């Protein structure tokens, strides 16, 4: 290939076949899998009670297989009073009855494994529910549970005789992070809800309990874990220190988590010791995946969770840069997109593996955050880049945020901000039932209601309609899932030949294979671009269209057509995948 890109000498000397074999031999399974996140309450309801369940998920195993994803990650399915919809666990080794039984779990695991799919569970170590037996006993100071949680005496008492919390620490969900327990006459600490008391990881027994929980599920044959809220695991031992007010946060509400900075409650060095212990346990089993949820503005802090060659930790911390860097469409440009990709790749420790997350249960849906016109282009981007893509359920059909009224709102994060402000904080709009077909409740349930409203657009936006249509988000997604398993995507190289304000492009290439060029129009206007004029490398005069966004209906870009790279026309937000032979 006559491209003016320098390749390392070592790779140059290998034939394509050899390079391919080396990569294949070493690569663990998650290098080729798409991870698909299921929010169990909202995927499929088999019982008719309006909330999704395990049997419902198992009934969709064929759908998941055909979709082309390799791994299914379930948000928590453990026994829970559902104050934070499963992220408040009352028994870490029992299935929540709302979701089914342990037999249902075993059947779901078998249904996925039979189809060659893998199953990853959510592990929520930072806190339990206040209804967990440990907490009930800890509140009574019953041994050996007395120090399972973070307890503290009041700093003093106010004029009305009310106890004053030991410090000013705030909950991520707003308000004080300390709640008074009458029974014990002490405060307990909770980084999230009062119903989610923080476990005390300075207590060896707690550490052992959590290790046993990991083993319990690994022995049940699951393929890995997504570990929740990892940066919150430890706080400083000295509870007398207030956290400082954050500089220039712009946050006025003094009870909002964002108004403080958090040197004493996140990213404490002890966290890595514990993650290492978990890694060691997982390494006693063949090829288990560990992904950690780590939100942080400081990329260096995020990267620490990869560990090093000598002390490997997580297989990857989630890469939230495609969420964090683009809160609004106006933030998005070709150049900004390139910066976000580079930020991860340039900071990732050598030899580690990237991942790309576009959305999840804590954020608005892709189509609502970026614009619906960009749905296909962004799926093309994350599915074709080297690295593991993580897809939130429904993104394959381009579901968008639903309208959820104050009366219907369930999410505690939204409810804590009250009627006036709940919309800015509620995570419900992205958690509504999966849209399967145009029947009542989008085919999600045979019951008479659903725990969150179904998006009103379900009659036209659903799996069945998109399976039948000639072109659809779903069909594009499936085609991408198929393509990414092959070269040059599986083991090929990557370049960004054209990066401007409105355009972004990704080239995947490998000697001996056809090259693929994804061109994206990041703007909200139609774009005509001369790739040759802007390219930082040689490109062929023409290329063949492989895939295009559903919004593009032009005659010239019908898949199979030959397009001229000097006058490429893209509709707003379009992704156009092109192919050309070596030249
Ligand atoms: C994580 C979860 C979120 C949950 C929180 C507390 O951030 O993704 O949904 O509310 O942890 O467990």
């Amino acid at each position: 290939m006559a491209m003016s890109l320098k390749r390392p000498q070592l790779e140059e000397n290998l034939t394509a076949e050899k390079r391919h074999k080396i990569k294949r031999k070493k690569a663990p399974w998650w290098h080729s899998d798409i991870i698909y996140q299921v929010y169990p309450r909202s995927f499929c309801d088999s019982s008719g009670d309006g909330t999704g369940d395990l049997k419902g998920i198992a009934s969709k195993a064929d759908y998941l297989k055909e979709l082309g994803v390799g791994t299914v990650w379930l948000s928590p399915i453990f026994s829970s009073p559902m104050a934070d919809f499963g992220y408040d666990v009352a028994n870490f080794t029992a299935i929540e009855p709302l979701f089914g039984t342990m037999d249902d779990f075993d059947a779901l695991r078998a249904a996925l494994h039979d189809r060659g799919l893998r199953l990853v569970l959510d592990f929520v170590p930072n806190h339990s529910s206040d209804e967990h037996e440990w907490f009930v006993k800890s509140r009574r100071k019953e041994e050996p549970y007395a120090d399972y949680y973070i307890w503290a005496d009041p700093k003093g008492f106010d004029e009305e005789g009310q106890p004053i919390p030991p410090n000013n620490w705030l909950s991520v969900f707003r308000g004080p992070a300390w709640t008074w327990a009458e029974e014990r006459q002490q405060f307990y600490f909770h980084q999230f809800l009062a119903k989610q008391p923080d476990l005390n990881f300075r207590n060896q027994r707690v550490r052992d309990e959590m290790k046993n929980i990991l083993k319990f599920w690994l022995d049940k044959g699951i393929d890995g874990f997504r570990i929740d809220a990892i940066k919150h695991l430890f706080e400083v031992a000295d509870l007398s220190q207030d956290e400082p007010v954050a500089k220039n946060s712009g946050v006025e509400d003094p009870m909002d988590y964002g108004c403080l900075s958090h040197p004493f409650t996140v990213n404490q060095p002890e966290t890595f010791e514990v993650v290492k212990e978990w890694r060691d346990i997982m390494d006693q089993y063949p090829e288990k995946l560990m992904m950690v949820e780590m939100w942080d503005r400081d990329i260096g802090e995020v990267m620490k969770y990869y560990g090093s060659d000598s002390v490997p930790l997580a297989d990857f911390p989630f890469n939230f840069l495609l969420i964090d860097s683009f809160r609004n469409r106006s933030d998005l440009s070709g150049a900004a997109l390139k910066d976000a990709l580079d930020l991860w790749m340039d900071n990732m420790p050598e030899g580690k593996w990237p991942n790309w997350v576009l959305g999840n249960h804590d954020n608005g849906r892709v189509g609502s955050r970026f614009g619906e016109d960009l749905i296909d282009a962004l799926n093309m981007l994350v599915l074709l880049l080297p690295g593991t893509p993580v897809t939130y359920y429904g993104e394959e059909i381009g579901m968008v945020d639903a309208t959820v009224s104050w009366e219907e709102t369930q999410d505690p994060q939204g409810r804590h901000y009250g009627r006036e402000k709940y919309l800015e904080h509620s995570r419900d709009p992205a958690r509504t039932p999966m849209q399967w077909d145009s029947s009542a409740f989008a085919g999600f349930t045979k019951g008479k209601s659903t725990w969150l409203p179904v998006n009103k657009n379900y009659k036209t936006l659903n799996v069945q309609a998109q399976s039948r249509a000639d072109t659809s988000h779903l069909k594009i997604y499936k085609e991408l899932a198929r393509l990414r398993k092959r070269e040059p995507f599986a083991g090929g190289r990557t370049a960004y030949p054209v990066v401007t304000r409105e355009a972004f492009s990704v080239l995947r290439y490998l000697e001996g294979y056809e090259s693929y060029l994804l061109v994206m129009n990041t703007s909200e206007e139609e774009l005509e671009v001369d790739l040759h004029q802007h390219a930082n490398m040689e490109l062929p005069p023409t290329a063949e269209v492989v895939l295009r966004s559903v919004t593009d209906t032009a005659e010239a870009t019908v898949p199979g057509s030959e397009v001229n790279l000097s006058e490429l026309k893209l509709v707003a937000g379009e992704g156009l995948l092109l192919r050309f032979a070596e030249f």
Side-chain angles (χ1 to χ4, degrees):
M1 194 184 270
M3 287 176 191
S4 41
L5 268 188
K6 289 198 185 89
R7 296 194 193 123
Q9 200 56 42
L10 184 78
E11 267 203 41
E12 201 79 285
N13 292 339
L14 294 174
T15 62
E17 204 187 339
K18 258 199 196 148
R19 202 179 310 138
H20 184 75
K21 271 195 189 144
I22 291 172
K23 290 230 158 94
R24 272 295 139 96
K25 214 165 85 192
K26 282 199 199 142
W29 53 265
W30 55 86
H31 284 202
S32 45
D33 276 11
I34 298 171
I35 314 255
Y36 185 86
Q37 181 189 359
V38 167
Y39 195 67
R41 296 180 65 90
S42 301
F43 199 57
C44 181
D45 170 26
S46 75
S47 68
D49 66 359
T51 301
D53 47 46
L54 299 180
K55 274 191 182 145
I57 301 169
S59 74
K60 298 297 181 185
D62 283 335
Y63 169 76
L64 295 165
K65 178 72 187 167
E66 279 162 29
L67 186 58
V69 301
T71 297
V72 178
W73 149 36
L74 302 181
S75 281
I77 51 169
F78 318 111
S79 145
S80 166
M82 295 284 160
D84 191 18
F85 298 107
Y87 284 95
D88 49 321
V89 181
N91 183 340
F92 290 94
T93 52
I95 300 292
E96 162 59 33
L98 197 59
F99 294 139
T101 62
M102 195 57 91
D103 285 345
D104 296 339
F105 172 79
D106 289 333
L108 169 60
R109 192 205 52 227
L112 297 176
H113 283 171
D114 287 350
R115 288 164 179 79
L117 301 172
R118 292 189 174 81
L119 176 60
V120 164
L121 294 185
D122 218 307
F123 179 50
V124 191
N126 177 66
H127 45 267
S128 74
S129 160
D130 65 340
E131 296 181 33
H132 195 296
E133 190 193 346
W134 299 338
F135 187 75
V136 173
K137 292 184 169 162
S138 192
R139 197 168 43 202
R140 290 205 290 260
K141 267 197 161 168
E142 198 174 309
E143 291 302 349
Y145 303 100
D147 291 330
Y148 265 40
Y149 295 84
I150 316 284
W151 291 100
D153 289 330
K155 195 157 72 176
F157 292 86
D158 65 15
E159 285 153 15
E160 282 152 30
Q162 294 301 314
I164 303 168
N167 57 42
N168 72 343
W169 298 355
L170 289 173
S171 150
V172 175
F173 289 152
R174 193 180 183 275
W178 294 97
T179 291
W180 179 249
E182 273 304 322
E183 194 174 2
R184 184 162 159 156
Q185 293 289 299
Q186 274 189 311
F187 282 100
Y188 66 89
F189 176 64
H190 50 89
Q191 303 240 20
F192 295 90
L193 297 176
K195 281 191 72 62
Q196 294 169 298
D198 267 50
L199 283 156
N200 175 14
F201 273 86
R202 296 184 197 280
N203 180 335
Q204 188 56 44
R205 278 179 193 272
V206 169
R207 276 156 88 145
D208 292 344
E209 298 266 20
M210 294 324 261
K211 284 196 264 188
N212 288 336
I213 290 160
L214 290 179
K215 285 189 209 152
F216 174 88
W217 291 108
L218 290 165
D219 287 339
K220 277 197 143 295
I222 64 148
D223 301 290
F225 292 100
R226 173 264 189 192
I227 301 181
D228 183 70
I230 192 71
K231 74 175 189 182
H232 299 276
L233 206 64
F234 279 88
E235 27 308 305
V236 289
D238 174 5
L239 302 177
S240 67
Q241 311 174 76
D242 278 351
E243 289 199 316
V245 171
K247 288 195 190 104
N248 309 322
S249 71
V251 179
E252 281 166 19
D253 174 359
M255 287 293 121
D256 190 307
Y257 187 69
C259 84
L260 296 182
S261 66
H262 305 285
F264 305 136
T265 52
V266 300
N267 295 334
Q268 301 302 309
E270 296 89 338
T271 311
F272 300 101
E273 286 167 30
V274 175
V275 176
K276 171 74 174 64
E277 289 173 12
W278 296 339
R279 175 83 265 171
D280 290 345
I281 288 179
M282 292 179 68
D283 285 348
Q284 290 164 18
Y285 298 76
E287 287 218 329
K288 300 298 176 195
L289 170 66
M290 188 202 282
M291 328 183 266
V292 297
E293 186 218 13
M294 169 58 185
W295 286 98
D296 208 287
R297 288 216 182 93
D298 183 341
I299 188 85
E301 289 296 334
V302 178
M303 292 298 167
K304 284 185 190 167
Y305 287 86
Y306 271 116
S308 59
D309 275 349
S310 48
V311 188
L313 296 174
D315 293 297
F316 49 79
F318 281 143
N319 174 357
F320 293 125
L321 290 175
L322 291 176
I323 298 178
D324 276 347
S325 315
F326 310 104
R327 287 283 160 191
N328 299 301
R329 173 66 176 262
S330 55
D331 299 334
L332 190 70
S333 67
L337 210 44
K338 166 109 177 9
D339 287 347
L341 303 188
D342 284 349
L343 190 59
W344 191 268
M345 298 309 283
D346 293 348
N347 285 284
M348 189 175 73
E350 204 159 318
K352 300 293 179 185
W353 183 249
N355 72 97
W356 312 103
V357 184
L358 276 179
N360 61 22
H361 64 295
D362 295 329
N363 289 278
R365 289 206 171 261
V366 172
S368 303
R369 265 184 295 127
F370 292 101
E372 289 178 56
D373 53 343
L374 272 162
I375 288 171
D376 296 318
L378 289 168
N379 276 337
M380 289 179 193
L381 178 69
V382 295
L383 267 66
L384 299 181
L385 280 172
T388 301
V390 187
T391 294
Y392 182 51
Y393 83 94
E395 294 294 0
E396 71 275 30
I397 54 170
M399 277 172 65
V400 292
D401 289 349
T403 311
V404 181
S405 69
W406 169 248
E407 286 71 25
E408 291 164 328
T409 279
Q410 306 278 342
D411 179 24
Q413 181 169 275
R415 299 198 68 83
H416 273 187
Y417 282 85
R419 183 186 277 270
E420 297 303 313
K421 283 195 164 173
Y422 81 96
L423 271 180
E424 288 165 40
H425 299 275
S426 173
R427 298 168 294 180
D428 289 334
R431 295 177 173 181
T432 57
M434 177 70 177
Q435 293 163 214
W436 295 104
D437 58 38
S438 58
S439 69
F441 300 112
F444 162 76
T445 182
K446 296 238 165 353
K448 295 197 168 51
S449 62
T450 52
W451 79 285
L452 278 177
V454 175
N455 194 320
K456 292 198 174 57
N457 64 12
Y458 78 92
K459 289 234 152 116
T460 48
L461 200 166
N462 61 63
V463 170
Q464 190 183 57
Q466 293 198 15
S467 306
R468 290 176 180 164
D470 289 340
T471 57
S472 64
H473 299 310
L474 182 63
K475 286 205 163 152
I476 292 171
Y477 190 96
K478 284 187 180 176
E479 186 55 20
L480 293 167
R482 204 178 60 78
L483 277 173
R484 74 186 301 281
K485 295 199 179 109
R486 306 196 322 223
E487 298 301 357
F489 300 106
R493 296 172 62 81
T494 309
Y496 307 112
V498 174
V499 181
T500 68
R501 212 162 65 85
E502 296 84 12
F504 184 62
S505 67
V506 182
L507 179 73
R508 300 298 319 268
Y509 64 99
L510 181 66
E511 212 179 306
Y513 294 89
E514 283 179 306
S515 301
Y516 283 76
L517 180 66
L518 167 63
V519 186
M520 288 173 66
N521 173 5
T522 54
S523 80
E524 290 173 271
E525 314 288 332
E526 200 176 277
L527 177 71
E528 181 165 342
V529 56
D530 177 351
L531 293 188
H532 295 116
Q533 186 198 334
H534 296 285
N536 56 20
M537 60 194 290
E538 218 180 303
L539 290 173
T542 62
E544 180 198 338
V545 177
V546 181
L547 279 174
R548 59 177 179 172
S549 292
V550 293
T551 43
D552 183 356
T553 52
E555 196 67 37
T557 50
V558 171
S561 313
E562 199 74 8
V563 287
N564 184 341
L565 300 192
S566 292
E567 40 178 36
L568 207 56
K569 283 200 183 109
L570 296 116
V571 299
E574 174 165 13
L576 192 60
L577 183 63
L578 308 172
R579 170 166 59 199
F580 53 88
E582 287 185 69
F583 72 102

